[in-house]
Amino acid sequence: MSSRTLPLLFINLGGEMLYILDQRLRAQNIPADKAKKVMNDIITTMFNKKFLEELFKPQELYSKKALRTVFDRLAHASIMRLNQASMDKLYDLMTMAFKYQVLLCPRPKDILLVSFNHMDAIKDFVKETPSILSQVDETYKQLIEMYTPLSSGEFQLIRQTLLIFFQDMHIRVSIFLKDKVQNSNGRFVLPTSGPVPHGTQIPGLIRMFSCSGEEVKKLQFRNGGNYTSALREGSFEMFGERVIKLGTNMYSVSRPVETHLSGTSKNSAQQKSVNTTPNPLAKEELNMLARLMGGLEVQKTSSVDNGFRVNLFATDEEEEEALISRPDEFSYDVINIQATKLSGGCTEQARY
Amino acid sequence: MTFHAKVELSLWLQRTRDDLKMYHKEKSIQIKSSASALYNNLSVLRIAPRNLTYFSVVHANMVNMVSASWDGLNYSHRQLQSKEPNVTTSSSLIMQAAWCVLPYREILVLTSQKGIQMYESDGSIMVYWHALDTPETPTAQAVFARGIAAVRDKYICVGISSGSVLVFDVPSKGSNITLSEVLEEHKESITDMASECSGSLECIADLVSADDSGNLSVWKSGEDFQLLNKIPGFDMSCSSVKLWKGTVVAGYGTGQIRLYEAITGIIHAEINAHARWIYSLDIAPFSGLLLSAAEDSLVRVWHLTVTPETNSVEIVHMYNECVTDTQICGAKFCDGDGYAFAVTGYDLSEIIRYTQA
């Protein structure tokens, strides 16, 4: 549908990934210098100029499989290693968090404010490193240039495209369940209270007019909710208060990250990944992916000593158990792409 | 009933006990896959001679069709896929599916990123395919068809993302459907279209088209469609529109509903109806009941009275139904009186039904 969805999907998912990794690095007491290196390396890779150039080109959204591959590569852009189970869990959390944010956005245009919340946090992560900071600033400018002129209808199209991507995902996230923003069946709570979106009036008034335009009748009706007036509009510039809280960091060392895959509702049959049928468009997608990955330089681990593993679970045993017991319908098939030689055009070998 | 009596009745209905509610929830119909978040994502076709009702709901690149017998005992399902003209191109998402009722036949129309497919009403045979001009490499402006309406005896009109409206001439049977005209008036993507549904031949306006900037165009059908009026938007997308007894009912992204006189553009009423983007409007032509549904989880029923002689239009709120934790994407009456209505929601794999008590 909308050909302008991928940058927003990537930046917001990337932002969530950084929140989670930051929390895990601190929870596992990884030395500050190593943790900082990981965050800097990932952010540098995320905002690589060539990579972003490809990303911002008009294109259809990637499949879940393809996008997962990109994030796999990104998560391994530094000395940090993640086992399969942890990577799966990381991706579950990232996607459910952004799904929540997209769904709860008061107006479709507010997805841009959510993106700025992520960007603001990323900027804060790298505020001491000017070179990366300038990359981030450059990305702000690209976002502003591309998205601020769009109409409300075009933003809704972007939102609808994102919602198709997230369709049928109901993974339960501990932090959401605890905060009562997600039900035990995995569906998000949609309150019928609180401030109305900017530009919307509180429901309840009918005004009727005469042919000359004079108001002749005013009626009230019960709106069935508990709404309040809209808040002021957030800033769509490089700086400024965003007002919307969606997209800000909800994790902290004391609020661990957990997901539940077992005991999902009987609709789990519908929670299959979209691409289970043989995929004739895979070739085209692989080419797109290869071009994109060409811009993602993967750090070679210079010495084995420098590298370390991050666990998204409380213990190694739990992580192993999670890998074994992960239901089939939740498996992410990852595409293996080896960029062999980059001279002139890219020569890639794809296998999956 | 006088206007004041109607107001009293509506206020009373709002205060009543649960067992005196205007509508009650019936057994839902399960569908094979969940509804996608698309405007007007439910179409209903009542087939009285066979005691059946058809429902269609779009999921990504597929349409879920269910045929439900009125006794509630028989359900049969069918899934239609969007047509992919050649295998190497990317899959085509469907924007909308709707039945078009013409005097001698009913056609099921599917609009997607690649083009327009038309089927016999039970979805068994595709009778026509119109391909859109899709560029080789994707452009910033998306390409798709959206907005479907049957007009008078022989036309099916479909909107395009460029703002054009395609007018197809449909014979009483067979597949000799032809593109008769392209109406170039809108500059923004078409969101929805509606034809006059009162059945009255006195109404001059036959069709209204709506776009992403909220602009409405009012047309008279014929060999050459004639533009009768343009009603400007206020830079807010009009996602759903209906036309009844010469009155345009338009639902907007701000949650407002506005009623206009089609020919003149005079505004009759403005309602702060919903707290979020409106996704669907429907009118029961025999009773004047209006159904509105939005992302805010609410379905609301209103009563519309149009008196052409005195040029007066009145609207009264009748009923609310909250579909908990659901962003509604489709809501339609199942019959011309509004005795029953059906609702779809994003990520929901069922069609929820309500009937009057």
PDB file of all heavy atoms in Angstrom, chain A residues 1 3 99 103 159 163 167-168 183 190 200 204-205 207 209 222 284, chain B residues 14 34-35 88 113 139 254 268 270 272 279 295 320 325 327 346-347:
ATOM      1  N   MET A   1       0.850  -1.184   0.000  1.00  0.00           N
ATOM      2  CA  MET A   1       0.000   0.000   0.000  1.00  0.00           C
ATOM      3  C   MET A   1       0.892   1.243   0.000  1.00  0.00           C
ATOM      4  O   MET A   1       1.432   1.606  -1.000  1.00  0.00           O
ATOM      5  CB  MET A   1      -0.948  -0.046   1.193  1.00  0.00           C
ATOM      6  CG  MET A   1      -1.883  -1.205   1.018  1.00  0.00           C
ATOM      7  SD  MET A   1      -3.309  -1.336   2.078  1.00  0.00           S
ATOM      8  CE  MET A   1      -3.075  -0.315   3.442  1.00  0.00           C
ATOM      9  N   SER A   3       4.075   3.382   0.057  1.00  0.00           N
ATOM     10  CA  SER A   3       5.470   3.050  -0.257  1.00  0.00           C
ATOM     11  C   SER A   3       6.420   3.832   0.636  1.00  0.00           C
ATOM     12  O   SER A   3       7.625   3.862   0.391  1.00  0.00           O
ATOM     13  CB  SER A   3       5.738   3.371  -1.722  1.00  0.00           C
ATOM     14  OG  SER A   3       5.437   4.732  -1.956  1.00  0.00           O
ATOM     15  N   LYS A  99       3.615  -2.368  17.608  1.00  0.00           N
ATOM     16  CA  LYS A  99       2.208  -2.604  17.256  1.00  0.00           C
ATOM     17  C   LYS A  99       1.305  -1.832  18.214  1.00  0.00           C
ATOM     18  O   LYS A  99       0.368  -1.155  17.786  1.00  0.00           O
ATOM     19  CB  LYS A  99       1.866  -4.094  17.310  1.00  0.00           C
ATOM     20  CG  LYS A  99       0.386  -4.354  16.972  1.00  0.00           C
ATOM     21  CD  LYS A  99       0.047  -5.838  16.902  1.00  0.00           C
ATOM     22  CE  LYS A  99      -1.431  -5.990  16.507  1.00  0.00           C
ATOM     23  NZ  LYS A  99      -1.803  -7.398  16.296  1.00  0.00           N
ATOM     24  N   LEU A 103      -1.265   1.192  17.158  1.00  0.00           N
ATOM     25  CA  LEU A 103      -2.684   1.018  17.431  1.00  0.00           C
ATOM     26  C   LEU A 103      -3.231   2.142  18.306  1.00  0.00           C
ATOM     27  O   LEU A 103      -4.325   2.657  18.067  1.00  0.00           O
ATOM     28  CB  LEU A 103      -2.880  -0.326  18.133  1.00  0.00           C
ATOM     29  CG  LEU A 103      -4.185  -1.078  17.913  1.00  0.00           C
ATOM     30  CD1 LEU A 103      -4.511  -1.227  16.449  1.00  0.00           C
ATOM     31  CD2 LEU A 103      -4.102  -2.441  18.559  1.00  0.00           C
ATOM     32  N   ARG A 159      -0.358   4.017   8.334  1.00  0.00           N
ATOM     33  CA  ARG A 159      -0.784   3.290   9.531  1.00  0.00           C
ATOM     34  C   ARG A 159      -1.473   1.984   9.153  1.00  0.00           C
ATOM     35  O   ARG A 159      -1.221   0.934   9.738  1.00  0.00           O
ATOM     36  CB  ARG A 159      -1.720   4.180  10.346  1.00  0.00           C
ATOM     37  CG  ARG A 159      -2.188   3.568  11.645  1.00  0.00           C
ATOM     38  CD  ARG A 159      -2.940   4.598  12.483  1.00  0.00           C
ATOM     39  NE  ARG A 159      -3.488   3.989  13.672  1.00  0.00           N
ATOM     40  CZ  ARG A 159      -4.637   3.329  13.710  1.00  0.00           C
ATOM     41  NH1 ARG A 159      -5.358   3.207  12.621  1.00  0.00           N
ATOM     42  NH2 ARG A 159      -5.054   2.780  14.834  1.00  0.00           N
ATOM     43  N   LEU A 163      -0.446  -1.781  10.132  1.00  0.00           N
ATOM     44  CA  LEU A 163      -1.360  -2.690  10.827  1.00  0.00           C
ATOM     45  C   LEU A 163      -1.517  -4.013  10.091  1.00  0.00           C
ATOM     46  O   LEU A 163      -1.719  -5.055  10.713  1.00  0.00           O
ATOM     47  CB  LEU A 163      -2.721  -2.013  11.055  1.00  0.00           C
ATOM     48  CG  LEU A 163      -2.706  -0.907  12.113  1.00  0.00           C
ATOM     49  CD1 LEU A 163      -4.070  -0.240  12.226  1.00  0.00           C
ATOM     50  CD2 LEU A 163      -2.286  -1.447  13.480  1.00  0.00           C
ATOM     51  N   GLN A 167      -0.672  -7.656  11.657  1.00  0.00           N
ATOM     52  CA  GLN A 167      -1.935  -8.370  11.815  1.00  0.00           C
ATOM     53  C   GLN A 167      -1.748  -9.732  12.467  1.00  0.00           C
ATOM     54  O   GLN A 167      -0.793 -10.448  12.175  1.00  0.00           O
ATOM     55  CB  GLN A 167      -2.590  -8.552  10.441  1.00  0.00           C
ATOM     56  CG  GLN A 167      -4.012  -9.000  10.487  1.00  0.00           C
ATOM     57  CD  GLN A 167      -4.920  -8.159   9.624  1.00  0.00           C
ATOM     58  OE1 GLN A 167      -4.476  -7.306   8.869  1.00  0.00           O
ATOM     59  NE2 GLN A 167      -6.205  -8.394   9.745  1.00  0.00           N
ATOM     60  N   ASP A 168      -2.669 -10.068  13.370  1.00  0.00           N
ATOM     61  CA  ASP A 168      -2.709 -11.387  14.012  1.00  0.00           C
ATOM     62  C   ASP A 168      -1.550 -11.657  14.966  1.00  0.00           C
ATOM     63  O   ASP A 168      -1.348 -12.799  15.379  1.00  0.00           O
ATOM     64  CB  ASP A 168      -2.778 -12.521  12.972  1.00  0.00           C
ATOM     65  CG  ASP A 168      -3.994 -12.389  12.069  1.00  0.00           C
ATOM     66  OD1 ASP A 168      -5.048 -11.984  12.579  1.00  0.00           O
ATOM     67  OD2 ASP A 168      -3.871 -12.654  10.862  1.00  0.00           O
ATOM     68  N   ASN A 183      -4.642  -7.440  27.341  1.00  0.00           N
ATOM     69  CA  ASN A 183      -5.454  -8.448  28.015  1.00  0.00           C
ATOM     70  C   ASN A 183      -4.750  -9.794  27.997  1.00  0.00           C
ATOM     71  O   ASN A 183      -3.816 -10.001  27.231  1.00  0.00           O
ATOM     72  CB  ASN A 183      -6.804  -8.613  27.288  1.00  0.00           C
ATOM     73  CG  ASN A 183      -7.642  -7.368  27.374  1.00  0.00           C
ATOM     74  OD1 ASN A 183      -7.731  -6.752  28.428  1.00  0.00           O
ATOM     75  ND2 ASN A 183      -8.243  -6.974  26.268  1.00  0.00           N
ATOM     76  N   LEU A 190      -8.178  -0.861  24.531  1.00  0.00           N
ATOM     77  CA  LEU A 190      -8.435   0.420  23.867  1.00  0.00           C
ATOM     78  C   LEU A 190      -9.394   1.214  24.743  1.00  0.00           C
ATOM     79  O   LEU A 190     -10.588   0.947  24.770  1.00  0.00           O
ATOM     80  CB  LEU A 190      -9.054   0.194  22.480  1.00  0.00           C
ATOM     81  CG  LEU A 190      -8.232  -0.631  21.496  1.00  0.00           C
ATOM     82  CD1 LEU A 190      -8.964  -0.764  20.168  1.00  0.00           C
ATOM     83  CD2 LEU A 190      -6.867  -0.008  21.267  1.00  0.00           C
ATOM     84  N   THR A 200      -9.822  16.815  17.092  1.00  0.00           N
ATOM     85  CA  THR A 200     -11.119  16.154  17.274  1.00  0.00           C
ATOM     86  C   THR A 200     -11.859  16.806  18.433  1.00  0.00           C
ATOM     87  O   THR A 200     -11.235  17.222  19.412  1.00  0.00           O
ATOM     88  CB  THR A 200     -10.909  14.654  17.554  1.00  0.00           C
ATOM     89  OG1 THR A 200     -10.370  14.045  16.384  1.00  0.00           O
ATOM     90  CG2 THR A 200     -12.192  13.931  17.927  1.00  0.00           C
ATOM     91  N   GLY A 204     -20.576  14.211  21.312  1.00  0.00           N
ATOM     92  CA  GLY A 204     -21.759  14.476  22.134  1.00  0.00           C
ATOM     93  C   GLY A 204     -22.632  15.601  21.630  1.00  0.00           C
ATOM     94  O   GLY A 204     -23.710  15.827  22.167  1.00  0.00           O
ATOM     95  N   LEU A 205     -22.187  16.314  20.591  1.00  0.00           N
ATOM     96  CA  LEU A 205     -22.972  17.467  20.155  1.00  0.00           C
ATOM     97  C   LEU A 205     -23.466  17.315  18.720  1.00  0.00           C
ATOM     98  O   LEU A 205     -22.715  16.932  17.829  1.00  0.00           O
ATOM     99  CB  LEU A 205     -22.092  18.716  20.254  1.00  0.00           C
ATOM    100  CG  LEU A 205     -22.761  20.054  19.969  1.00  0.00           C
ATOM    101  CD1 LEU A 205     -23.832  20.342  21.006  1.00  0.00           C
ATOM    102  CD2 LEU A 205     -21.726  21.174  19.957  1.00  0.00           C
ATOM    103  N   ARG A 207     -25.292  19.706  15.864  1.00  0.00           N
ATOM    104  CA  ARG A 207     -25.732  21.063  15.525  1.00  0.00           C
ATOM    105  C   ARG A 207     -26.466  21.002  14.197  1.00  0.00           C
ATOM    106  O   ARG A 207     -25.969  20.407  13.243  1.00  0.00           O
ATOM    107  CB  ARG A 207     -24.530  22.001  15.390  1.00  0.00           C
ATOM    108  CG  ARG A 207     -23.726  22.143  16.676  1.00  0.00           C
ATOM    109  CD  ARG A 207     -22.403  22.793  16.402  1.00  0.00           C
ATOM    110  NE  ARG A 207     -22.551  24.194  16.057  1.00  0.00           N
ATOM    111  CZ  ARG A 207     -21.657  24.903  15.374  1.00  0.00           C
ATOM    112  NH1 ARG A 207     -20.538  24.335  14.966  1.00  0.00           N
ATOM    113  NH2 ARG A 207     -21.857  26.166  15.099  1.00  0.00           N
ATOM    114  N   PHE A 209     -28.496  23.227  11.079  1.00  0.00           N
ATOM    115  CA  PHE A 209     -28.454  24.564  10.491  1.00  0.00           C
ATOM    116  C   PHE A 209     -29.608  24.801   9.530  1.00  0.00           C
ATOM    117  O   PHE A 209     -30.136  23.876   8.922  1.00  0.00           O
ATOM    118  CB  PHE A 209     -27.142  24.750   9.715  1.00  0.00           C
ATOM    119  CG  PHE A 209     -25.920  24.495  10.544  1.00  0.00           C
ATOM    120  CD1 PHE A 209     -25.316  23.250  10.556  1.00  0.00           C
ATOM    121  CD2 PHE A 209     -25.386  25.499  11.341  1.00  0.00           C
ATOM    122  CE1 PHE A 209     -24.192  22.999  11.333  1.00  0.00           C
ATOM    123  CE2 PHE A 209     -24.259  25.266  12.117  1.00  0.00           C
ATOM    124  CZ  PHE A 209     -23.663  24.016  12.122  1.00  0.00           C
ATOM    125  N   ARG A 222     -25.424  11.109  24.726  1.00  0.00           N
ATOM    126  CA  ARG A 222     -24.462  10.461  25.616  1.00  0.00           C
ATOM    127  C   ARG A 222     -23.437   9.722  24.758  1.00  0.00           C
ATOM    128  O   ARG A 222     -23.803   8.932  23.891  1.00  0.00           O
ATOM    129  CB  ARG A 222     -25.190   9.475  26.532  1.00  0.00           C
ATOM    130  CG  ARG A 222     -24.342   9.069  27.736  1.00  0.00           C
ATOM    131  CD  ARG A 222     -25.115   8.198  28.693  1.00  0.00           C
ATOM    132  NE  ARG A 222     -26.226   8.886  29.308  1.00  0.00           N
ATOM    133  CZ  ARG A 222     -27.150   8.273  30.046  1.00  0.00           C
ATOM    134  NH1 ARG A 222     -27.086   6.971  30.220  1.00  0.00           N
ATOM    135  NH2 ARG A 222     -28.136   8.956  30.589  1.00  0.00           N
ATOM    136  N   GLU A 284      12.774 -11.289  -5.842  1.00  0.00           N
ATOM    137  CA  GLU A 284      12.794  -9.830  -5.897  1.00  0.00           C
ATOM    138  C   GLU A 284      13.097  -9.250  -4.525  1.00  0.00           C
ATOM    139  O   GLU A 284      13.867  -8.312  -4.367  1.00  0.00           O
ATOM    140  CB  GLU A 284      11.431  -9.328  -6.365  1.00  0.00           C
ATOM    141  CG  GLU A 284      11.412  -7.837  -6.623  1.00  0.00           C
ATOM    142  CD  GLU A 284      10.004  -7.354  -6.940  1.00  0.00           C
ATOM    143  OE1 GLU A 284       9.449  -7.855  -7.927  1.00  0.00           O
ATOM    144  OE2 GLU A 284       9.485  -6.501  -6.202  1.00  0.00           O
TER     145      GLU A 284
ATOM    146  N   GLN B  14     -31.549   5.811  25.845  1.00  0.00           N
ATOM    147  CA  GLN B  14     -30.187   5.827  26.375  1.00  0.00           C
ATOM    148  C   GLN B  14     -30.149   5.505  27.860  1.00  0.00           C
ATOM    149  O   GLN B  14     -29.148   5.072  28.390  1.00  0.00           O
ATOM    150  CB  GLN B  14     -29.552   7.204  26.151  1.00  0.00           C
ATOM    151  CG  GLN B  14     -29.119   7.416  24.710  1.00  0.00           C
ATOM    152  CD  GLN B  14     -28.798   8.867  24.459  1.00  0.00           C
ATOM    153  OE1 GLN B  14     -27.794   9.363  24.950  1.00  0.00           O
ATOM    154  NE2 GLN B  14     -29.638   9.550  23.722  1.00  0.00           N
ATOM    155  N   SER B  34      -8.624 -12.706   9.920  1.00  0.00           N
ATOM    156  CA  SER B  34      -9.085 -11.480  10.575  1.00  0.00           C
ATOM    157  C   SER B  34      -9.239 -10.327   9.587  1.00  0.00           C
ATOM    158  O   SER B  34      -8.658 -10.331   8.505  1.00  0.00           O
ATOM    159  CB  SER B  34      -8.108 -11.088  11.680  1.00  0.00           C
ATOM    160  OG  SER B  34      -6.823 -10.948  11.141  1.00  0.00           O
ATOM    161  N   ALA B  35     -10.021  -9.343   9.989  1.00  0.00           N
ATOM    162  CA  ALA B  35     -10.251  -8.180   9.141  1.00  0.00           C
ATOM    163  C   ALA B  35      -9.041  -7.246   9.189  1.00  0.00           C
ATOM    164  O   ALA B  35      -8.450  -7.040  10.245  1.00  0.00           O
ATOM    165  CB  ALA B  35     -11.502  -7.435   9.610  1.00  0.00           C
ATOM    166  N   THR B  88       6.195 -12.579 -10.922  1.00  0.00           N
ATOM    167  CA  THR B  88       7.362 -11.901 -10.356  1.00  0.00           C
ATOM    168  C   THR B  88       7.029 -10.582  -9.646  1.00  0.00           C
ATOM    169  O   THR B  88       7.837 -10.054  -8.921  1.00  0.00           O
ATOM    170  CB  THR B  88       8.419 -11.607 -11.437  1.00  0.00           C
ATOM    171  OG1 THR B  88       7.778 -10.844 -12.473  1.00  0.00           O
ATOM    172  CG2 THR B  88       8.988 -12.876 -12.004  1.00  0.00           C
ATOM    173  N   GLN B 113      -4.211  -3.065  -5.251  1.00  0.00           N
ATOM    174  CA  GLN B 113      -3.082  -2.252  -5.702  1.00  0.00           C
ATOM    175  C   GLN B 113      -2.805  -2.469  -7.176  1.00  0.00           C
ATOM    176  O   GLN B 113      -2.137  -1.658  -7.813  1.00  0.00           O
ATOM    177  CB  GLN B 113      -1.817  -2.644  -4.939  1.00  0.00           C
ATOM    178  CG  GLN B 113      -1.842  -2.283  -3.484  1.00  0.00           C
ATOM    179  CD  GLN B 113      -0.570  -2.725  -2.796  1.00  0.00           C
ATOM    180  OE1 GLN B 113      -0.427  -3.875  -2.408  1.00  0.00           O
ATOM    181  NE2 GLN B 113       0.356  -1.820  -2.645  1.00  0.00           N
ATOM    182  N   THR B 139       6.596   4.322  -6.760  1.00  0.00           N
ATOM    183  CA  THR B 139       6.711   5.775  -6.620  1.00  0.00           C
ATOM    184  C   THR B 139       6.261   6.179  -5.230  1.00  0.00           C
ATOM    185  O   THR B 139       5.615   5.394  -4.532  1.00  0.00           O
ATOM    186  CB  THR B 139       5.802   6.482  -7.647  1.00  0.00           C
ATOM    187  OG1 THR B 139       4.503   5.893  -7.550  1.00  0.00           O
ATOM    188  CG2 THR B 139       6.331   6.325  -9.051  1.00  0.00           C
ATOM    189  N   THR B 254     -11.621  13.195  11.661  1.00  0.00           N
ATOM    190  CA  THR B 254     -11.692  13.886  12.950  1.00  0.00           C
ATOM    191  C   THR B 254     -12.764  13.278  13.845  1.00  0.00           C
ATOM    192  O   THR B 254     -12.915  13.667  14.997  1.00  0.00           O
ATOM    193  CB  THR B 254     -12.086  15.365  12.763  1.00  0.00           C
ATOM    194  OG1 THR B 254     -13.227  15.403  11.912  1.00  0.00           O
ATOM    195  CG2 THR B 254     -10.942  16.163  12.168  1.00  0.00           C
ATOM    196  N   HIS B 268     -26.436  20.860   6.480  1.00  0.00           N
ATOM    197  CA  HIS B 268     -27.644  20.714   7.292  1.00  0.00           C
ATOM    198  C   HIS B 268     -27.310  20.457   8.757  1.00  0.00           C
ATOM    199  O   HIS B 268     -28.007  20.920   9.649  1.00  0.00           O
ATOM    200  CB  HIS B 268     -28.485  19.531   6.806  1.00  0.00           C
ATOM    201  CG  HIS B 268     -29.210  19.796   5.534  1.00  0.00           C
ATOM    202  ND1 HIS B 268     -30.135  20.803   5.385  1.00  0.00           N
ATOM    203  CD2 HIS B 268     -29.165  19.148   4.343  1.00  0.00           C
ATOM    204  CE1 HIS B 268     -30.625  20.776   4.154  1.00  0.00           C
ATOM    205  NE2 HIS B 268     -30.051  19.781   3.502  1.00  0.00           N
ATOM    206  N   GLU B 270     -23.976  19.124  11.672  1.00  0.00           N
ATOM    207  CA  GLU B 270     -22.599  18.749  11.995  1.00  0.00           C
ATOM    208  C   GLU B 270     -22.635  18.040  13.344  1.00  0.00           C
ATOM    209  O   GLU B 270     -23.188  18.574  14.311  1.00  0.00           O
ATOM    210  CB  GLU B 270     -21.738  20.001  12.072  1.00  0.00           C
ATOM    211  CG  GLU B 270     -20.288  19.721  12.364  1.00  0.00           C
ATOM    212  CD  GLU B 270     -19.508  21.022  12.459  1.00  0.00           C
ATOM    213  OE1 GLU B 270     -19.435  21.583  13.571  1.00  0.00           O
ATOM    214  OE2 GLU B 270     -18.974  21.466  11.435  1.00  0.00           O
ATOM    215  N   ASN B 272     -20.410  15.998  16.305  1.00  0.00           N
ATOM    216  CA  ASN B 272     -19.160  15.517  16.919  1.00  0.00           C
ATOM    217  C   ASN B 272     -19.455  14.094  17.360  1.00  0.00           C
ATOM    218  O   ASN B 272     -19.891  13.836  18.477  1.00  0.00           O
ATOM    219  CB  ASN B 272     -18.758  16.397  18.087  1.00  0.00           C
ATOM    220  CG  ASN B 272     -18.437  17.803  17.634  1.00  0.00           C
ATOM    221  OD1 ASN B 272     -18.098  18.029  16.472  1.00  0.00           O
ATOM    222  ND2 ASN B 272     -18.558  18.773  18.526  1.00  0.00           N
ATOM    223  N   TYR B 279     -14.587   4.940  10.287  1.00  0.00           N
ATOM    224  CA  TYR B 279     -14.220   3.964   9.266  1.00  0.00           C
ATOM    225  C   TYR B 279     -15.395   3.499   8.407  1.00  0.00           C
ATOM    226  O   TYR B 279     -15.186   2.930   7.339  1.00  0.00           O
ATOM    227  CB  TYR B 279     -13.565   2.730   9.917  1.00  0.00           C
ATOM    228  CG  TYR B 279     -12.061   2.738   9.849  1.00  0.00           C
ATOM    229  CD1 TYR B 279     -11.327   3.746  10.458  1.00  0.00           C
ATOM    230  CD2 TYR B 279     -11.359   1.741   9.167  1.00  0.00           C
ATOM    231  CE1 TYR B 279      -9.937   3.767  10.378  1.00  0.00           C
ATOM    232  CE2 TYR B 279      -9.973   1.744   9.090  1.00  0.00           C
ATOM    233  CZ  TYR B 279      -9.268   2.771   9.687  1.00  0.00           C
ATOM    234  OH  TYR B 279      -7.894   2.782   9.605  1.00  0.00           O
ATOM    235  N   GLU B 295     -12.674   3.974  14.897  1.00  0.00           N
ATOM    236  CA  GLU B 295     -11.547   3.361  15.604  1.00  0.00           C
ATOM    237  C   GLU B 295     -11.719   3.452  17.115  1.00  0.00           C
ATOM    238  O   GLU B 295     -10.968   2.822  17.858  1.00  0.00           O
ATOM    239  CB  GLU B 295     -10.252   4.119  15.275  1.00  0.00           C
ATOM    240  CG  GLU B 295      -9.672   3.851  13.913  1.00  0.00           C
ATOM    241  CD  GLU B 295      -8.444   4.732  13.673  1.00  0.00           C
ATOM    242  OE1 GLU B 295      -8.097   5.560  14.546  1.00  0.00           O
ATOM    243  OE2 GLU B 295      -7.836   4.599  12.605  1.00  0.00           O
ATOM    244  N   ASN B 320     -25.972   3.501  21.236  1.00  0.00           N
ATOM    245  CA  ASN B 320     -24.530   3.253  21.214  1.00  0.00           C
ATOM    246  C   ASN B 320     -24.242   1.796  21.473  1.00  0.00           C
ATOM    247  O   ASN B 320     -24.909   1.165  22.294  1.00  0.00           O
ATOM    248  CB  ASN B 320     -23.833   4.006  22.363  1.00  0.00           C
ATOM    249  CG  ASN B 320     -23.828   5.490  22.176  1.00  0.00           C
ATOM    250  OD1 ASN B 320     -23.803   5.983  21.055  1.00  0.00           O
ATOM    251  ND2 ASN B 320     -23.862   6.218  23.273  1.00  0.00           N
ATOM    252  N   ASP B 325     -12.349  -2.988  23.144  1.00  0.00           N
ATOM    253  CA  ASP B 325     -10.971  -3.195  22.690  1.00  0.00           C
ATOM    254  C   ASP B 325     -10.852  -3.489  21.195  1.00  0.00           C
ATOM    255  O   ASP B 325      -9.960  -4.223  20.772  1.00  0.00           O
ATOM    256  CB  ASP B 325     -10.291  -4.326  23.490  1.00  0.00           C
ATOM    257  CG  ASP B 325     -10.210  -3.993  24.968  1.00  0.00           C
ATOM    258  OD1 ASP B 325     -10.197  -2.792  25.316  1.00  0.00           O
ATOM    259  OD2 ASP B 325     -10.170  -4.927  25.789  1.00  0.00           O
ATOM    260  N   GLN B 327     -10.853  -1.795  17.224  1.00  0.00           N
ATOM    261  CA  GLN B 327     -10.937  -0.668  16.295  1.00  0.00           C
ATOM    262  C   GLN B 327     -11.812  -1.153  15.144  1.00  0.00           C
ATOM    263  O   GLN B 327     -11.417  -2.020  14.365  1.00  0.00           O
ATOM    264  CB  GLN B 327      -9.546  -0.264  15.806  1.00  0.00           C
ATOM    265  CG  GLN B 327      -8.721   0.282  16.951  1.00  0.00           C
ATOM    266  CD  GLN B 327      -7.594   1.195  16.516  1.00  0.00           C
ATOM    267  OE1 GLN B 327      -7.245   1.264  15.346  1.00  0.00           O
ATOM    268  NE2 GLN B 327      -7.011   1.910  17.470  1.00  0.00           N
ATOM    269  N   TYR B 346     -10.539  -4.595  13.359  1.00  0.00           N
ATOM    270  CA  TYR B 346      -9.150  -4.965  13.041  1.00  0.00           C
ATOM    271  C   TYR B 346      -8.693  -6.121  13.926  1.00  0.00           C
ATOM    272  O   TYR B 346      -8.893  -6.093  15.144  1.00  0.00           O
ATOM    273  CB  TYR B 346      -8.219  -3.761  13.252  1.00  0.00           C
ATOM    274  CG  TYR B 346      -6.751  -4.118  13.210  1.00  0.00           C
ATOM    275  CD1 TYR B 346      -6.157  -4.576  12.035  1.00  0.00           C
ATOM    276  CD2 TYR B 346      -5.951  -4.016  14.346  1.00  0.00           C
ATOM    277  CE1 TYR B 346      -4.813  -4.924  11.997  1.00  0.00           C
ATOM    278  CE2 TYR B 346      -4.612  -4.356  14.308  1.00  0.00           C
ATOM    279  CZ  TYR B 346      -4.034  -4.803  13.141  1.00  0.00           C
ATOM    280  OH  TYR B 346      -2.706  -5.155  13.111  1.00  0.00           O
ATOM    281  N   ASP B 347      -8.095  -7.123  13.322  1.00  0.00           N
ATOM    282  CA  ASP B 347      -7.568  -8.292  14.048  1.00  0.00           C
ATOM    283  C   ASP B 347      -8.649  -9.226  14.581  1.00  0.00           C
ATOM    284  O   ASP B 347      -8.341 -10.202  15.277  1.00  0.00           O
ATOM    285  CB  ASP B 347      -6.681  -7.855  15.237  1.00  0.00           C
ATOM    286  CG  ASP B 347      -5.196  -8.058  14.956  1.00  0.00           C
ATOM    287  OD1 ASP B 347      -4.870  -8.594  13.881  1.00  0.00           O
ATOM    288  OD2 ASP B 347      -4.375  -7.693  15.826  1.00  0.00           O
TER     289      ASP B 347
END
